[in-house]
């Protein structure tokens, strides 16, 4: 194969942006050959934009049966990611899915199994993994510079949303339409980076969520989650769409110092002697290891969605290693699911979570949801404004 | 009265420092007339330092019966603060107590009642209330500049202690000797400032503590506490003696913006329109209120212990308003007690706490304590190195 023929499902904000990038030649070795959207106005938009060089489909079945494609990018509402990916793998297509991997891990696991079975290249649109800042955080941890992790803390509240944002789509911030709120719509990137940079998944979670706390919505718009890791480390993740201005500060404390990411800068407070060793050997009472505050230089630019698409196509054509393998989407989603489950049950949640219990609880929420998906297919695919 | 005659109980680090400050004339209207310590070497130190101008007592009873004093400063181990203060009030003395107010609120409440009954001036050594930085935080909140509080977050982990610190006194970090760890010894100032600056006490607390996590001690050296306030606001307080270098960052989010205290600076991110109003009236979907990032000027210097002592003496002589009324010591202690109770019971704790339950649980810990107070009276009063 010299060129990967790509189809995109979902012509909302993200999908149409990806389509234009491929159409305009920004993705090496990729060609846009098909798009699919159930909304006629989005089909019209695509026809105007791409002319007759791109096949346009207004039904998933038609698309999967007749599109001339090798790979598909899924940019639909959250719930549709796993079933569409599974369809694609069954047709022998490579898949790149928008985040989150899905709404519940139960069917994301099925998606991952289908991916493995297909042997196709499966990527997840974790575009923030292309940010050299977070790549550096990951490198400083995986290389051992920071030492064993003791505590993580991410305050990520710069997702301010007004009521008018939520009112702009009936599916927004509903259990049946989106499947969640700030944890599922705004924070998946940070949830992914939290586990990806540290290499740690929580062992158990105790979370506290405010549902419709700052807005007239049924899902959560304010969350504080406390986690414990296998090695004894603890962590806190705080997110909200009700604060202005927000904070985005990620702190990781290790045996050899502290990393802080804030204001697009990475600071490493590096100990010359590990704390554990100092603790064992120092005899002076008060005192602490010598510490150097270092501004870590960051090289390169974040390549975002284009970077992820190039990497995915490169993997298809030349076997390049994926920066964001699709199978890893389940990790951040599992944390997210655990946060909901803990908030709903007002109790600890051990990880891996009880997927059936989560699915069952989610169904209860969907049944009580103010938004009924079948009411209006027209707006279920409207992802404009999401990231 | 033209001059307040002061006696100090406890000639450890703090007590001897206070004694010198008064003796050297740094406290206007105060004269040091007596000290008390059960340790002979501390009596010797005081005799050498102050000559025959100051009465020295090596028993509490003798001190209370015979010292020529109008007021007493209590700088003994934590457990002794309430009983000694009660003795002093019964003798009609003014009292200034070192922090914390005590170890458990049950007897601190009795101390407060004795204070009221005596009609004497009762102060608490919350010297960090003299810091103009935190005074400014309090002023910006109480004046309404920040608007209604939504979230508080204090990461105060710059209490690094090595094992040799804990090994320097058998009473240190024991249930029977100190009554607790980082919450009771290192963090009382921040617990006080947390409630004092915001004017908010938690309604309920869910806390997670590591006991002897980083050190060979029986009490906690690592704590994450989540709290909820009556108005729906949430908060997190994180403290530890096992991290190097630590963090000291206090963030308070309100309806009109955000305050951050870090690196001895106060930043106010001020909204031109309150978030709640913006949320109600804005119709544009994405968007947020205009925000100004302001470096708040801080005037004056922190006067610390000398400031608190001057204020207390001024209150005795001229009825000045106390910056840190003794009765307020129970507030931070109640938060601290709630954190222990929640950690021990692995459950929510509603405030005000069940004081009897806390007392009972504490007694269990004391019974199992590795340090037996009666073993060595000599070191029970050694507060060197504490703040």
């Amino acid at each position: 194969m010299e060129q990967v023929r790509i189809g995109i499902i979902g012509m909302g904000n993200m999908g149409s942006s990806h389509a234009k990038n491929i159409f305009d030649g920004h993705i090496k070795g990729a060609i846009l050959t098909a798009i699919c959207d159930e909304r006629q106005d989005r089909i019209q938009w695509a026809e105007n934009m791409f002319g007759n060089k791109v096949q346009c489909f207004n039904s998933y079945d038609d698309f999967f049966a007749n599109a001339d494609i090798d790979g598909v990018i899924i940019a639909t509402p959250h719930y549709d990611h796993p079933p569409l990916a599974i369809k694609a793998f069954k047709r022998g297509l490579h898949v790149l899915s928008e985040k989150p991997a899905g709404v519940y891990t139960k069917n994301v696991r099925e998606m991952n199994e289908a991916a493995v079975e297909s042997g196709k290249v499966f990527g997840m649109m974790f575009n923030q993994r292309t940010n050299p800042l977070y790549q550096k955080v990951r490198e400083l941890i995986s290389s051992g510079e920071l030492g064993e992790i003791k505590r993580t803390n991410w305050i990520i509240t710069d997702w301010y949303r007004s009521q008018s944002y939520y009112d702009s789509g009936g599916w927004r911030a509903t259990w049946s339409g989106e499947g969640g709120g700030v944890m599922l719509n705004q924070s998946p990137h940070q949830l992914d980076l939290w586990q990806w940079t540290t290499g740690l998944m929580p062992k158990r979670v105790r979370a506290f969520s405010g549902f419709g706390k700052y807005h007239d919505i049924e899902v959560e718009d304010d969350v504080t989650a406390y986690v414990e890791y296998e090695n004894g480390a603890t962590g806190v993740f705080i997110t909200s769409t009700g604060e202005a201005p927000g904070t985005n500060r990620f702190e990781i404390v290790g045996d050899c110092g502290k990393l802080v990411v804030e204001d697009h800068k990475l600071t490493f407070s590096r100990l010359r002697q590990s704390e554990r060793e100092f603790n064992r050997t120092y005899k002076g009472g008060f005192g602490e290891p010598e510490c150097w505050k270092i501004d870590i230089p960051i090289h390169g630019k974040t390549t975002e969605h284009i970077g992820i698409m190039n990497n995915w196509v490169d993997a298809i054509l030349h076997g390049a290693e994926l920066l964001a393998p699709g199978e890893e989407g389940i990790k951040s989603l599992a944390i997210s699911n655990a946060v909901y489950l803990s908030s709903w049950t007002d109790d600890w949640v051990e990880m891996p979570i009880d997927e059936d219990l989560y699915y069952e609880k989610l169904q209860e929420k969907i049944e009580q949801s103010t938004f009924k998906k079948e009411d209006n297919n027209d707006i279920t695919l409207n992802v404009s404004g999401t990231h």
Side-chain angles (χ1 to χ4, degrees), chain A residues 157-166 182 186 214-215 240-246:
Chain A
T157 55
D158 63 349
W159 302 124
Y160 182 69
R161 296 291 184 270
S162 67
Q163 186 63 42
S164 65
Y165 160 84
Y166 289 112
V182 64
Q186 282 80 25
Y214 295 116
H215 307 91
S240 178
T241 58
E243 296 181 11

Side-chain angles (χ1 to χ4, degrees), chain A residues 63-239:
Chain A
F63 172 82
F64 280 114
N66 300 307
D68 297 321
I69 52 176
D70 306 303
V72 62
I73 295 177
I74 301 170
T76 63
H78 310 150
Y79 275 110
D80 298 338
H81 296 173
L84 290 173
I86 290 169
K87 264 188 214 283
F89 288 128
K90 291 207 169 137
R91 228 205 90 179
L93 299 168
H94 304 285
V95 172
L96 178 60
S97 173
E98 264 295 339
K99 60 82 195 168
V103 174
Y104 48 96
T105 53
K106 202 174 150 77
N107 70 343
V108 169
R109 191 171 301 285
E110 289 162 13
M111 170 173 76
N112 285 355
E113 286 162 6
V116 171
E117 211 167 308
S118 75
K120 296 296 164 185
V121 177
F122 179 29
M124 192 61 57
M125 192 62 91
F126 285 135
N127 46 292
Q128 296 204 14
R129 288 196 187 184
T130 68
N131 188 334
L133 197 58
Y134 295 110
Q135 290 179 349
K136 198 69 189 173
V137 170
R138 179 173 151 92
E139 189 265 311
L140 290 173
I141 293 170
S142 64
S143 67
E145 275 289 349
L146 187 64
E148 185 161 9
I149 289 174
K150 295 175 175 178
R151 189 170 61 74
T152 69
N153 187 282
W154 205 329
I155 305 177
I156 170 70
T157 55
D158 63 349
W159 302 124
Y160 182 69
R161 296 291 184 270
S162 67
Q163 186 63 42
S164 65
Y165 160 84
Y166 289 112
D167 293 345
S168 69
W171 53 276
R172 276 199 199 282
T174 60
W175 294 115
S176 57
E178 283 203 280
V182 64
M183 286 303 285
L184 210 65
N185 187 314
Q186 282 80 25
S187 294
H189 288 300
Q190 283 69 36
L191 290 172
D192 176 59
L193 293 175
W194 192 22
Q195 66 80 22
W196 183 67
T197 56
T198 60
L200 293 179
M201 280 290 284
K203 189 185 65 171
R204 60 177 192 158
V205 174
R206 188 69 177 85
F208 315 92
S209 301
F211 298 92
K213 180 172 176 180
Y214 295 116
H215 307 91
D216 182 18
I217 55 174
E218 63 191 31
V219 297
E220 85 290 355
D221 53 5
D222 190 61
V223 173
T224 299
Y226 168 77
V227 304
E228 291 177 355
Y229 301 99
E230 193 65 47
N231 73 344
T234 66
V236 167
F237 189 91
I238 296 170
T239 190

Side-chain angles (χ1 to χ4, degrees), chain A residues 101 267 295 299:
Chain A
T267 310
D295 295 323
H299 298 296

Side-chain angles (χ1 to χ4, degrees), chain A residues 1-6 29-32 70-71 94 313 316-317:
Chain A
M1 198 190 304
E2 280 187 14
Q3 227 174 7
V4 182
R5 295 169 304 164
I6 292 174
I31 181 170
L32 182 71
D70 306 303
H94 304 285
V313 169
I316 296 169
L317 291 176

